[in-house]
Amino acid sequence: MLMSCAAGPAGSGGSPSRDLHSYANSAQTRVTHVALDLEVDFGERRLSGTCTLDVDGQDGDLVLDTRDLTIASVDVSDDDGQSFREAGFDVGPADPVLGAPLRIQRGAAGKVRVAYSTDPGAGGIQWLAPRHTAGRKHPFLYSQSQAIQARTWIPLQDSPEVRVTYSARVRTPPELVAVMSAEMLSGTARTGEYEFRMPIAIPSYLIALAVGDLEFAATGERTGVYAEPGVIEAAAREFEDTEAMMQAVEELYGPYRWGRYDLLVLPPAFPFGGMENPRLTFVSPTVIAGDKSLVSLIAHELAHSWSGNLVTNSTWRDFWLNEGFTTYLESRIQEEVYGPERSTMEVSLEVEALEDELPSMDPADQVLHVDLAGRDPDEGVTEVPYVKGSMFLRTLEHAVGREAFDSFLRDYFEEFAFRSLTTEEFEVYLDSELLSSHPQARQSISVKEWLYEPGLPDNRHVPVSAALDVAEEAARGWADGTLAVGDLDTEGWTTQHWQQFVRTMPEALEAERLADLDRAFGFTDAGNAEILTDWLKLTVSNQYAPADEALENFLVSVGRRKFLRPLYDELMTTEAGRKRAAEIYSKARPGYHPLAIQTFDGLVGWAQPAEE
Ligand code: BES
Ligand code: ZN
């Protein structure tokens, strides 16, 4: 997508920032603390109240990021908040992606207080009607600030280069509970007023809020789960290994620095599998498979407590530093907690997904240090930063040996703790702290090619999963007719075997053949969202009618983009499919998150009914 901001917003903020996706003049003036005082109005779908910012640096105007906010007034204080006086401000022209700069005549004031309210369509908030929750009785609200949506619910310097501490007071209907990515000072007693404090400086994209009919269950001394009452038990069981995962990462990469680590299970509309909000990872309920088979997602979000939340990408073009490291750490945690076979299966499935995606991608987007000038950072969220990024690290590990690589990573997390860094800074650090003492690796690995070229370098290290090969062979045997379903030895197969089995199926299969598989293995009724997605993709491409209802139910009830995208993509390949996609989408759209709507409106060619 081309935007009107093709030259970047830097010009409006004084001296240019490295971050093309923020208007903030953070090079001159920095916000250091954000204090929120917000009222949650479900009827109006609005947050309103004040945001008081502590500001440091040169005197002069303060430029903040906003998008679709209504600014009521701005006050500033010269005496640390004892008294405030009105200040002049103006809101610049709005860009559809970046929003609008809010320029405040701050002078030398140390505190700036903005009174504001959010728009009902704010991109960073999903307001859910009771029917879109598990309990169907109460509404639900949650934020999703990454990448640049914090500005749709808080006026601030919305760049991962800027870290702030924060505090918040949130008023809700009294029957609901509010939680945030922070210490909960008020507890979960339903008082309708909740207080939070995040004393560790974090980037704005990690500020998070959710409000709903939430209960808490402990799963360990410092771990637990928040979820709706009907989900809490299953969630606590599914995620009971979280403490073991924490111990595994701590052993490998140093202490967990955030105190508690809790999970919040969201309604199924959540557009991601998980989001690493500090102290409180947000999770899609599709991760609850009943057998812990999808908890690599928890390992992933937990790993962000080191790669991402502790050491942060400076700009969104350095996103691979967050996700590539995290995907690598995720596999190391899985290996420690569930063993190398499981971990290798998961890595191989991921690598196959990347290899599937690459050929259809613009070469420029196959680059780790991706160019996002004039684009929505959401466009950089592909398999490349995740899987190519982790492959790069695995290749380095292989070249220098695990011990040296682990020690390098431990030092890296220590060196850059609570800081942000760019790809170029990483490149320099890698060379001086690892490659300079491993001349052979330095020679064999072309760091420049990994970071700045499309495609995958030839000497990449890719683990081979013998277990997946078994599933692949079984699938081929059945597909070429040498094995009947009854001959397949699927005893002891895990979710990852089944994923490989379904993914290996030939694209074209007759209805009778699909029915044969379905009778034997019950795919259409699969409770596991990963297996179900792979299966539904196959049934769509073969127009297998018995799965139609399951497809519609799934697309209408689940909002996770990773599952929706391949299914809508597949539907859009035929005339009949496009018609079905349009029908299903019109039912599903009201329950989707703004980010999912942004993605799928274009994909299914949704046309807003003309307004009267
Ligand atoms: N931080 C991401 C989610 C994200 C990325 C939100 C970019 C907004 C912009 C999270 O850690 C993540 O990677 N989630 C993945 C998990 C997976 C790869 C294990 C997801 O949601 O699928
Ligand atoms: Zn991630």
Side-chain angles (χ1 to χ4, degrees):
M1 190 208 332
L2 258 164
M3 305 185 321
S4 50
C5 66
S12 63
S15 83
S17 147
R18 292 184 293 190
D19 183 359
L20 296 173
H21 295 103
S22 171
Y23 292 102
N25 59 340
S26 51
Q28 290 94 40
T29 306
R30 278 206 177 212
V31 174
T32 57
H33 181 79
V34 174
L36 296 168
D37 190 339
L38 294 175
E39 164 116 29
V40 179
D41 184 339
F42 278 99
E44 296 281 320
R45 299 195 159 191
R46 223 180 265 292
L47 301 177
S48 57
T50 60
C51 165
T52 306
L53 307 170
D54 289 1
V55 184
D56 227 5
Q58 293 171 23
D59 293 356
D61 289 359
L62 171 68
V63 183
L64 302 177
D65 292 294
T66 71
R67 194 177 128 203
D68 299 330
L69 295 181
T70 302
I71 310 296
S73 61
V74 179
D75 297 295
V76 297
S77 170
D78 304 301
D79 54 9
D80 202 28
Q82 292 183 45
S83 63
F84 280 87
R85 63 185 158 80
E86 211 174 314
F89 69 91
D90 69 79
V91 179
D95 175 274
V97 173
L98 302 175
L102 166 60
R103 178 180 291 273
I104 296 168
Q105 292 165 20
R106 156 191 164 257
K111 271 190 200 287
V112 172
R113 185 174 67 198
V114 182
Y116 72 101
S117 58
T118 62
D119 188 86
I125 303 274
Q126 186 170 22
W127 298 89
L128 289 165
R131 71 174 188 286
H132 290 125
T133 67
R136 299 178 149 263
K137 277 213 295 279
H138 298 281
F140 201 105
L141 137 84
Y142 69 91
S143 68
Q144 168 58 43
S145 297
Q146 196 182 15
I148 55 170
Q149 275 95 237
R151 66 190 68 175
T152 72
W153 66 286
I154 310 173
L156 41 54
Q157 295 185 318
D158 197 11
S159 166
E161 284 185 307
V162 179
R163 303 180 89 89
V164 294
T165 52
Y166 80 87
S167 57
R169 191 209 320 252
V170 180
R171 279 175 301 279
T172 71
E175 64 279 14
L176 302 181
V177 176
V179 291
M180 291 190 84
S181 55
E183 280 171 34
M184 185 150 196
L185 300 176
S186 48
T188 52
R190 300 186 185 219
T191 58
E193 187 160 326
Y194 302 91
E195 277 190 65
F196 306 90
R197 183 176 81 112
M198 172 43 88
I200 301 176
I202 55 168
S204 54
Y205 75 87
L206 294 176
I207 302 179
L209 166 71
V211 178
D213 181 16
L214 294 173
E215 285 187 353
F216 176 77
T219 54
E221 285 280 307
R222 54 177 175 169
T223 59
V225 182
Y226 292 91
E228 288 188 67
V231 181
I232 189 86
E233 243 177 78
R237 232 177 303 119
E238 196 82 10
F239 303 136
E240 67 186 3
D241 297 337
T242 307
E243 172 62 32
M245 290 181 174
M246 291 180 80
Q247 287 175 15
V249 218
E250 288 190 303
E251 189 72 30
L252 288 167
Y253 307 115
Y256 179 75
R257 313 223 197 184
W258 307 88
R260 294 194 56 82
Y261 182 71
D262 294 318
L263 303 170
L264 167 67
V265 181
L266 293 171
F270 186 47
F272 299 100
M275 176 64 213
E276 67 271 25
N277 297 314
R279 293 176 64 98
L280 184 65
T281 279
F282 285 18
V283 186
S284 162
T286 58
V287 178
I288 305 175
D291 58 3
K292 303 185 191 173
S293 61
L294 304 180
V295 295
S296 62
L297 183 124
I298 306 299
H300 179 98
E301 304 311 335
L302 171 65
H304 274 304
S305 305
W306 286 259
S307 42
N309 301 4
L310 188 61
V311 179
T312 308
N313 52 214
S314 263
T315 76
W316 296 114
R317 77 176 304 187
D318 309 304
F319 182 58
W320 80 274
L321 288 172
N322 276 15
E323 298 301 343
F325 276 69
T326 296
T327 303
Y328 173 78
L329 262 58
E330 167 195 339
S331 70
R332 296 294 304 275
I333 298 170
Q334 289 295 97
E335 180 178 330
E336 291 299 320
V337 179
Y338 302 104
E341 178 169 288
R342 162 100 171 248
S343 173
T344 305
M345 288 170 95
E346 291 168 343
V347 170
S348 302
L349 285 167
E350 230 162 67
V351 169
E352 284 169 22
L354 171 67
E355 286 169 348
D356 281 352
E357 185 177 353
L358 273 184
S360 64
M361 286 178 75
D362 186 326
D365 289 339
Q366 300 176 11
V367 173
L368 286 179
H369 191 236
V370 63
D371 185 3
L372 294 172
R375 303 167 76 192
D376 189 328
D378 198 45
E379 290 182 44
V381 185
T382 67
E383 298 286 345
V384 169
Y386 289 84
V387 185
K388 182 177 176 180
S390 61
M391 222 183 234
F392 174 37
L393 300 183
R394 204 167 290 113
T395 302
L396 285 167
E397 178 208 316
H398 214 69
V400 301
R402 188 167 263 200
E403 209 179 309
F405 194 62
D406 284 353
S407 143
F408 165 76
L409 284 182
R410 259 193 308 276
D411 293 347
Y412 167 79
F413 291 128
E414 191 62 48
E415 172 77 19
F416 294 102
F418 305 114
R419 286 166 55 190
S420 305
L421 84 162
T422 62
T423 300
E424 294 85 347
E425 284 161 346
F426 171 72
E427 193 186 347
V428 170
Y429 183 79
L430 173 69
D431 197 70
S432 72
E433 301 306 309
L434 186 69
L435 296 178
S436 63
S437 49
H438 292 86
Q440 258 195 326
R442 190 194 235 162
Q443 235 219 329
S444 67
I445 295 176
S446 172
V447 172
K448 294 265 183 233
E449 185 185 355
W450 276 103
L451 297 179
Y452 305 111
E453 301 288 332
L456 298 173
D458 289 334
N459 62 352
R460 61 187 180 272
H461 179 73
V462 180
V464 180
S465 164
L468 284 191
D469 289 348
V470 168
E472 190 172 328
E473 251 169 63
R476 290 197 200 290
W478 179 84
D480 67 23
T482 48
L483 294 172
V485 281
D487 300 332
L488 300 176
D489 181 10
T490 60
E491 177 129 347
W493 275 19
T494 64
T495 292
Q496 288 71 32
H497 288 93
W498 288 114
Q499 280 185 271
Q500 184 71 348
F501 180 79
V502 176
R503 286 184 192 185
T504 305
M505 285 297 152
E507 244 170 85
L509 279 173
E510 282 158 19
E512 195 27 59
R513 297 285 280 155
L514 287 165
D516 184 35
L517 286 179
D518 214 3
R519 269 193 305 273
F521 306 121
F523 290 130
T524 301
D525 300 320
N528 186 300
E530 295 278 354
I531 299 173
L532 185 62
T533 300
D534 290 338
W535 169 253
L536 290 176
K537 197 175 156 209
L538 193 61
T539 66
V540 169
S541 72
N542 290 287
Q543 301 179 27
Y544 176 68
D548 280 358
E549 201 185 312
L551 174 74
E552 177 165 334
N553 287 341
F554 189 65
L555 291 176
V556 171
S557 60
V558 172
R560 186 170 166 191
R561 285 196 304 189
K562 175 184 173 189
F563 298 143
L564 303 188
R565 189 178 278 123
L567 296 176
Y568 280 118
D569 269 343
E570 196 61 53
L571 281 168
M572 293 310 286
T573 59
T574 65
E575 187 57 46
R578 283 192 286 277
K579 212 172 139 246
R580 282 216 70 213
E583 282 163 19
I584 296 175
Y585 191 68
S586 69
K587 287 187 208 165
R589 192 176 183 276
Y592 287 163
H593 186 278
L595 275 173
I597 289 178
Q598 179 185 306
T599 304
F600 296 111
D601 273 5
L603 207 150
V604 308
W606 170 261
Q608 198 82 41
E611 280 186 48
E612 295 291 297

